[in-house]
C-alpha cells in the first residue's frame, strides 16, 4: 500500500503541482513561498494513511485539501502574531501628550455619539439602552416594554441604522464597530 500511495502522490504532483502553486499565489504567497507550500503539502500527503482508490477526483480533492492547509497555516500565523505584538506593545508606554490627545478625541467621539443617540426616536433609544446598557436579551426587552420581539428587532435595526448614518456623516473615518464598544460609556 505504501508504494502504491507513493506512486499516486508522485503522479498527482506531476499533474497538479502547477495548479496548486497558482492557488497559493492567488492567496498572496510569493512564488518561492508557494512552491514551498506545495512541497510541504505533498510531503504531508505521503504521511497520511490514504487509500488512493477512494479518491475518485484527485484534482478536486487536492485543491480542497490544499486550500484547507493554507487556511490552517494562516490561522496558526494569526494566533502567533498577537503574542508577538503583545510583547512589543508592553514595552511601549504612550507619553502624557499622546494620552491627552487620545482622551480628547475620545471625548469628542463620545459627545458626537451622545448627540446622535439623543436625536433617535424615544422607542429606539429605549430599546438600545436596554440592549447595550442593561445587557438584556431581545425577549427580555419585549417583556419589559410590552413590544413584540419583531418590534424590538426593528427598533434596534432602525436605531443602529440612524446612528451609523449620523456618525458616518460627522466622522467618516470612524469604524462603526467601535461605537458598540463605546455605547456603555454614554
Amino acid at each position: 500500500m505504501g508504494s502504491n500511495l507513493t506512486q499516486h502522490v508522485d503522479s498527482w504532483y506531476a499533474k497538479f503541482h502547477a495548479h496548486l502553486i497558482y492557488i497559493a499565489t492567488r492567496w498572496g504567497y510569493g512564488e518561492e513561498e508557494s512552491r514551498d507550500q506545495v512541497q510541504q503539502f505533498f510531503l504531508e500527503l505521503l504521511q497520511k494513511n490514504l487509500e488512493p482508490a477512494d479518491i475518485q477526483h484527485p484534482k478536486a480533492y487536492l485543491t480542497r485539501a490544499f486550500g484547507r492547509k493554507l487556511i490552517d497555516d494562516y490561522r496558526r500565523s494569526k494566533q502567533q502574531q498577537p503574542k508577538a505584538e503583545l510583547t512589543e506593545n508592553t514595552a511601549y508606554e504612550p507619553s502624557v501628550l499622546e494620552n491627552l490627545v487620545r482622551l480628547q478625541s475620545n471625548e469628542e467621539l463620545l459627545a458626537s455619539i451622545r448627540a446622535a443617540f439623543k436625536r433617535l426616536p424615544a422607542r429606539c433609544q429605549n430599546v438600545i439602552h436596554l440592549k447595550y446598557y442593561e445587557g438584556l436579551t431581545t425577549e427580555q426587552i419585549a417583556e419589559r416594554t410590552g413590544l413584540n420581539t419583531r418590534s424590538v428587532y426593528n427598533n434596534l435595526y432602525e436605531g443602529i441604522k440612524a446612528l451609523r448614518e449620523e456618525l458616518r456623516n460627522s466622522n467618516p473615518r470612524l469604524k462603526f464597530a467601535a461605537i458598540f464598544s463605546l455605547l456603555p460609556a454614554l
Side-chain angles (χ1 to χ4, degrees), residues 28-46:
Y29 289 96
E31 187 71 29
E32 285 301 313
E33 208 175 10
S34 297
R35 290 184 190 284
D36 290 343
Q37 287 284 355
V38 171
Q39 290 285 341
Q40 186 63 35
F41 171 70
F42 278 101
L43 287 174
E44 291 170 1
L45 202 59
L46 281 171

Side-chain angles (χ1 to χ4, degrees), residues 97-122:
L97 180 61
E98 288 174 320
N99 284 333
L100 287 174
V101 168
R102 187 178 303 123
L103 182 61
Q104 183 179 5
S105 67
N106 284 344
E107 285 300 319
E108 291 169 0
L109 175 62
L110 284 172
S112 66
I113 294 172
R114 277 188 199 106
F117 183 76
K118 288 179 181 176
R119 284 190 287 274
L120 290 176

Side-chain angles (χ1 to χ4, degrees), residues 113 116-117 120 128 159-167 176:
I113 294 172
F117 183 76
L120 290 176
I128 289 174
I160 291 169
K161 181 180 167 186
L163 278 175
R164 181 180 288 136
E165 284 300 316
E166 177 92 20
L167 294 170
F176 192 73

